[in-house]
Structure formats: structure tokens, C-alpha cells
Amino acid sequence: MIAVTIRDLSKSFGDHLVLDHIDLRIEPGELFFLLGPSGCGKTTLLRHLAGFYYPDHGQILFDDQDVSRVPPYKRGTGMMFQSYALWPHLTVAGNVAFGLEERKTPRAEIRKRVDEALASVGMTSFADRKINQLSGGQQQRVALARALVIRPRCLLLDEPLSNLDAKMRLQMRGEIRRVCKEFGLTAIYVTHDQKEALSIADRLAILDKGHLVQVGTPRDIYRHPRTKVVADFIGESNFIEGRALEPIENSEHWRVSTALGEFTGLKPDANWDLHVGEPVVLSIRPESWKLREAARTDGVATVNVLRGRIGRSIYLGEVAEYDFQPRVEGGDGDAAALKIYELNPRFMEVTDNTEITARAAPDDVVVLHP
Amino acid sequence: MSRVLAILVYVLTAAFFAVFFIYPVAQTLRGAFVTADHGISFIYVKEVFRNPVYVEGLQNAFLLAVCSTLATFVLSLPLAWLADRFEFAGKKLLTALLLAPMVLPPFVGAIGIRKIFGQEGAFNALLQSVGILGPDHAIDWLGQNRFWGVVALNALHLYPILYLNVAAALANVDPAMEEAAENLGCTGFRKFFKITLPLITPGVFAGGTIVFIWAFTELGVPLIFDYTRVTPVQIFYGIKDIGSNPFPYALVAVMLVATVLLYAISRLTFGRKAGDLTMMAKATSRGGARTIRPAAGVACAAAFAVVIFLALLPHFGVVLVAFSRDWYGTILPHSFTLDNFRAGLGHSLTVPSIGNSLKYALVSTVFDAGLGISIAYVVVRTRFPGRQLLDALAMLPLAVPGLVLAFGYIAMTQEGRPLAFLNPTRNPVPLLIIAYAVRRLPYMVRSAAAGYQQTSVTLEEAAQNLGCPPWRTLYRVTLPLIAANLLAGGLLTFSFAMLEVSDSLLLAQKQEYYPITKAIYELFQLLGSGRGIASALGVWAMAFLGTTILGASLLLGKRMGALFRA
């Protein structure tokens, strides 16, 4: 179990800056995710950890050892490749044994450890199969066993589930977390699938265009994104531009004026010295809104309430997606529609003409950098 | 690590090519353009174009190449299309047999053809026996039509190269492209000419260029047909007074410029296009061949059978000559015998020549394997700045005919030159092996490169990740994965080295060092039993090379076409 530290790491390919001054520390035994849209540099960063690239600038530390320029075959990482990269000329057992053979492990021990590794991923009965006789899910398990059997200093996973169907993915992601925790491994996992990251990560980092934009726990990142990019990439969100009016005393909340009226929202970035009158962006998740008929007058909320009508709606069974058209007081009524999700949908039946109110709790309204 | 390897391979390859490829070619050009008083002049080249004999030779060589290439197109395009589209009885066997002509140098086949179509040959005897010809009206088919005889033999020997290229190109065409055309209302011949043909153009021209250059510089066939007014033969006879006569140099220079120009044009025109097209032509679904009505199937099979029959006619002729006591004025020989084989075993030329050829071919193949694996590695797997140049350099021998190269070797080892110690009149073995190696290197580089390209880099990265250093990765992962490619490339390299004609005829100047091809040529010129023994030797060569080529095609299947690409 090691800590992985990335210090001020930069990398360019030609003129293209792929990684821009990355600073990151991954704790021992942590299952850490690198997440971002394609081309954000997450795979490049992982390949730096494996040693397939050397940084132009900065360092990579495994505990206190600087491995920045250690070649891949001396790093002792175990990597799972997106394509699995199993060798078709070797059997399942041959693939798993490879790393141990390279380490000059005694024959008897190789047998024992290969058996154990195959057992831990439930592939014991496939030991003598050829790789092309395995299904995608089985290949995935062999690739995991091959990476684990060498007792790697850390486990590197490059979109290991992207070639599986949805059901297998669901099953395997639980499996990967179980194995990592069982072996007490520091694991760095690259994916663009936010569900994968949110469901099994201890912590995750969001990369965008070579920058590290936010690091945190899944809940922290989802609930309190620091930038619009993060809010947009993880889940969906409605963005409303506005201006800071005033801070609310003894809290992290601010009042913000927008074209849709006044909102109260949470400013999660404590380091951000926001001034009155500064432009900001509000991020409100579609599922944060609560809908009710405007005609109902009981228990009326006073903050973060919009009046409007439901335009287009899509019924998805457990949930419905609405385009909510807010009515702007004194305006010309052309404000952009907001996306609202309703679990256990009721408002599907509401006609176009019924006025609806939509309300969001102040803690669900996030104040972001514009 | 890989950078050091890259530089090492680069330097070694560049040095090797400089000494044994560029230097001899430069020596030839020097002989052609530098006069006795060390001035540079076009006088010799001009003289070549003024001398009616040389001009006729060049015209004939060019016409031979054009006609031979067109004939290979006519033979191979329809067959490749039929094989790609339709499933019919015996297809596997027939497509395999289609490659059979490659097992014999065409000039040996020419011996058989002369027996069949000669004035006292089997064809006349056949015509006479069915009454088409009167008993005294034997036609000298080849005497009157030597040109077309050479064209026919060239075409029948070279069509497999084009066939393999076209078949590979057709297999790569995404069926969805044609389906899209059909969906938009374009079918039949229109579809073939508007969609299919443009998509396979790079493959067609890549194969066509090699066929053209081969036919343009073919030496053995015209020699056997006594068709002397053609440039390669004129060069061959000019070797004798190479020391004093500048015209062989000038002739070689003209041929060289012509072939390199053609090759360069083809690469520039279709090389880039090939990239564009293969990008698009990545198949999303497998089209697969259609089963057709039995009658149509028989017609397809018959088309194949006819071509195979024609292509194997020279081989039959050679086999019959080899086993016949005498064959004169009859359809089949009067009586069969093993005398030629027995005589061959005792003859001072045959047994040593087989041993020599095996030795030369083996050494040159091993050499090519090492060089090919390294060059392909640098070209495909590294980002080394000069790698494209290295790639181009390794493919260049395709553009330089064996005749030109061998001529250059002789030129550069003349007395008084730095490499005179390699002069083939003393001991041609080093030069023969080097010539074979240089000439066949492209096949080895291509097959190794194809292997690397088909093998994902992540397979190598996975090995390194598990603690395997790069050179061990090559040996434990990469080479086993591309073994089939290497073996096939090696087999082809070996077979073709055994079959080398022009450089063997030119360079092997001492009887004890003759390879098979030179021995066959010399035996052919002997009176008496010479032709019989030559044919017997040819039969040995056929049996041997047939086995190796069959092995290569079994290993590679359709991918074999990739080896014959310019």
C-alpha cells in the first residue's frame, strides 16, 4: 500500500499541452478515480503513472521514491488496459503467470499464486483456455487477475469496463471495488462514466483540457461543484447567470439576482472572495426542483420559487423529464426553459395552461464562478 | 532504450544500403554519364537513343511490359472478383492452385513451352492428329510469334501477384459501401465501376507496378526464346565487354531511370490515396461470398480451371521433358524414363547447384529476417524522425530490377575499385547472397511490418507493465504474435532467392558456384541430354518451391497479397 503523489506535472505532445501543472495526492489504499470528457488528459496521466510517458516537468512519487523516470518494467504497477491486452498466444494461466515469471518467482509458487489469483476472480476452471475462447467479461477478469497476481504497488485501471455490456458493467464495478479493498490496494481508475465513478470511488478528480478542476468525494463533487465544467460534466444542471447581491450572515449562502428573479444559494468554494455586484452562475440540478400547482396556497415557500408552465415532457417510467417554461415578471417571457426531473411522476397529466410553481432549497442552489 | 535500437538499426541499414545498393547503382550511372576524360556527358545515353538496335530493344522491352501487364489484368481481375463474391465447388483448391505458376522461374517454363509449341512440338502434333493441319504443314508458332510467346509466359507467371493484390483489396472493401450504392439505386456494372473499382485502385496499381517492372526487365524468358532484340538481353550480352564498352552502362541507366520513375509515380499517386481509402474501407460487417446456382458455379470453376491449365502448361511441358526419353513430333513423349534425373545426379552442374542455391537462399533469408524485423520495428513502433526514409529505402529494391543491381555489382567490383576483392569472377558467393538479400528484403520488411501493425501496442505495454524489459518483450510477446507473418515472409524470401534469375545469371561466373537457375540455363544450352537434365532440375525446383509457397499461403491466407505491394 503506497501513497501516490503527483507534483506539478506537465506534459506536451508537440505544441499541444496535454497536462498542465497537475498536483495530486492519492492516499494509501484509496480507490481514486480520474474522470473527465475524452481528450481531457486522464489516460495520459495514468500512463505517466505506469511509466509509458515521462513528464516534461514535475515529479511522480510512490511513497517517498521519485519514479518519474523509472521505466515501466521497473515500477511494479499492475495495469488493466481498456482492450485488456491479453496475449492470444498464451493460455489464461500463461497470461496470469507472465509477470511472476519475469520476477523469477519459483515455479511452485507461481502455480500457487496463479491458482489463487484465478480463484479470486472466479476463473479457476478456465486456466487452460485460450484467450479467444473467452467472453468479454471473462477476459476482463483474467486481465484483473494478471494485474493483481504480481502484488502491484498500485493498481492502474484504464477504462476497464468500457467494452462490457451494461449489466456486466454493473456487476464488475462492484467486483473491482471488492478486490481492491480485499487486497488493500492503492488503485487509480480512469473512466468517462460518471456512474462508475460516483458509485465506487473513495475520491475522484475531474480533469478538463489538461487541468485538474476539482478533487473530492463523489457526494462533494456532485453536490458542490466548484466550476460550471464540473457541474456540467457530472450529472446535469440548469445554469442561470446573475449577480451577487449580498452574503447571508453566519452562513455560506448568498443572495443572487437573476433575470428569473432573486435566488438564495450556497457558495461551496470557501477560498473564493466574492464581492457584491460580481457576476456569478447558479447551478441547480433538475432533480432539486419541487413542483406543485400554483393554485395551492398551503405552506407557500418564499425563496427560490419560479412560476411557469410545463412545455415538453418525456415519460421514462420511474422518472419524468420536463421542460419548465418560467414566467418572467415584467419581462417578455422569453427565458430559456429549465430541465426538471420528477421521481414517481404526477405532473404528466397537467395541461399546458395550468400554472405551476417550481421551488429549490437554498442548499441545492450552487453559486459558481461565471 | 528503443531510441538506441532505432539509431543502431538506422545506421546499420543505411550503411548496408549505401554500400550494396546506392554505390553499385551510382557506379552504373557513373559509367553511363562520365566519359573517359572525367567529364559529365549525355553522349552515351544519346548514342543509345541514336542506335537503332538499342532503340528497338527499348521499344520491345516497353511493349513487352505493357502487353504483359495488360494480360495479367485480363487474367486476374475477373478471377479475383469471382473469388471474392461467389462460393462454388472446389474454390479453395482452385484459388490455391492459381498461385502455382510462382513455383517455377518463367524461363524454365519456357523450355517446356518450346517443346509444346515448337515446330515439332506437341501442339502441332495435336492439330495434325485431329486433321486441322496437314502432316507436312507444321507451324513454327514461336518462331513467328516470339514477342507474344514472351508476353504469354510473363503474364502466366506474374498474374498471381496482381491476383493476390486485387483479392486483398476486394476483401478490405466494406460491404456496406456497396450496399449503400445499391440502396441509392446503383447496381451491377455501374456499381462496380463507380464504387468497387475506385476503392480497390490502390491495390490494383500497387500490384500492376510490380508486374510492369518485372516484365520490363525480364531476362530469362527472352533469352530462352532467342528473342534478343530486347534491352535486358542486350545488357546481358554486354557484360562480356563491360570494361571497355560504355553502352551497357547507358542501357542500364535508361532502364533504371524508367523503373524508378514509374515506381515513384505509382507511389506518389496511389500511396497517399491508399491511406485515405483504407481509412474509410474499414469493414463494419462481413459481406461473405454468395452461393450461386450450380451451373454458374461450374462456370466460375471452369474460368479458374482454364487459367490454371494455361498457367501450368509450361510446367507440364517441363515435367514431360524431364521424364521423356525423346519427345519429337508427338502429342505426348514416346516413352518415359528417369534417365534425366539419373544423369542429373551424376552431372557436375546439378547436385552442387542445388546445394549452392540452398546455401545462398538460406543465408540471405536469415539475413533478411534479422534486418526486416529490426527495420519494421523502427518504422512501425518508434517515432524516430528518419523512419519514413528507412521505410522507403527498404522498399526501393522493388523499383530496381535484379539485372540493374547485378550489373552495378559487377561495375563496382572491377579491378582497381575499392570493392574489387568481391569480384564475382573470383568468388561470386558473397555478392550472390547480398544480391538475393537486397532484392528480397522488401517482402520481409512488409510481412514483419504487417505483423507489427496488426499487433496492438498495448500487448507490449502490458508485458512491460508486468516487469518485462523492451527487448525481452520483443522476444516473449511480439515475435510469437507475429510468427505467422515472419514465417510466411521468410518462406517467400527463401523461395524467391532460390528462383532469382537475372542476378544469378549475371553474377555466378564460376561453375563451382552456380545456383540452380544458372545451372538450368547452362544445361539448357548444352546439346544432347542438356535440356532433359535442365528440365529434371526444374522439376526438383518446382516440387521444392511448391511446398514452401503452399505453406506460406496456408499461414497467411488473404493477407499474402500485402507482401506483393509496391
Side-chain angles (χ1 to χ4, degrees), chain B residues 290 311 512:
Chain B
R290 249 182 322 129
E512 54 179 312

Side-chain angles (χ1 to χ4, degrees), chain A residues 214-231:
Chain A
Q214 192 170 352
V215 182
T217 61
R219 280 185 49 176
D220 181 35
I221 297 231
Y222 188 85
R223 300 261 311 149
H224 301 139
R226 300 283 164 81
T227 70
K228 204 177 151 183
V229 171
V230 175

Side-chain angles (χ1 to χ4, degrees), chain A residues 47 50 52 72-73 77-79 81 83 85-89 98-99 101-103 146 150, chain B residues 1 456 458-470 472-473 476-478 480-481:
Chain A
R47 290 172 63 84
F52 297 129
Y73 50 94
T77 65
M79 181 148 172
F81 294 84
S83 59
L86 297 172
W87 301 297
H89 64 298
F98 187 95
E101 287 162 11
E102 285 305 315
R103 283 164 174 70
R146 185 178 71 177
I150 59 167
Chain B
M1 179 81 190
S456 168
T458 50
L459 290 173
E460 291 164 22
E461 287 176 350
Q464 293 197 28
N465 176 252
L466 294 174
C468 194
R472 269 182 65 80
T473 304
R476 283 204 68 184
V477 173
T478 318
L481 286 174

Side-chain angles (χ1 to χ4, degrees), chain B residues 430-451:
Chain B
L431 278 187
L432 275 171
I433 290 174
I434 291 168
Y436 292 174
V438 170
R439 293 261 296 144
R440 298 311 169 199
L441 182 63
Y443 299 117
M444 204 65 220
V445 173
R446 270 296 132 243
S447 48

Side-chain angles (χ1 to χ4, degrees), chain B residues 409-410 413 422-428 431 506-510:
Chain B
Y409 283 0
I410 293 175
T413 54
L422 285 172
N423 192 304
T425 51
R426 252 173 273 150
N427 182 354
L431 278 187
L506 259 66
L507 290 173
Q509 298 182 3
K510 240 182 175 180

Side-chain angles (χ1 to χ4, degrees), chain B residues 11-86:
Chain B
V11 169
L12 281 179
T13 315
F16 177 76
F17 266 87
V19 176
F20 291 109
F21 190 73
I22 295 167
Y23 181 62
V25 168
Q27 284 298 324
T28 307
L29 291 176
R30 191 172 153 238
F33 292 108
V34 179
T35 53
D37 50 354
H38 300 289
I40 291 181
S41 123
F42 287 90
I43 179 163
Y44 301 134
V45 176
K46 266 190 210 149
E47 206 52 46
V48 160
F49 284 105
R50 236 177 257 150
N51 185 329
V53 178
Y54 290 148
V55 171
E56 195 192 339
L58 281 170
Q59 275 172 353
N60 285 337
F62 185 75
L63 281 176
L64 272 180
V66 170
C67 294
S68 305
T69 311
L70 286 178
T72 57
F73 269 89
V74 172
L75 286 177
S76 50
L77 262 180
L79 292 186
W81 187 77
L82 288 177
D84 186 65
R85 291 308 141 95
F86 304 116

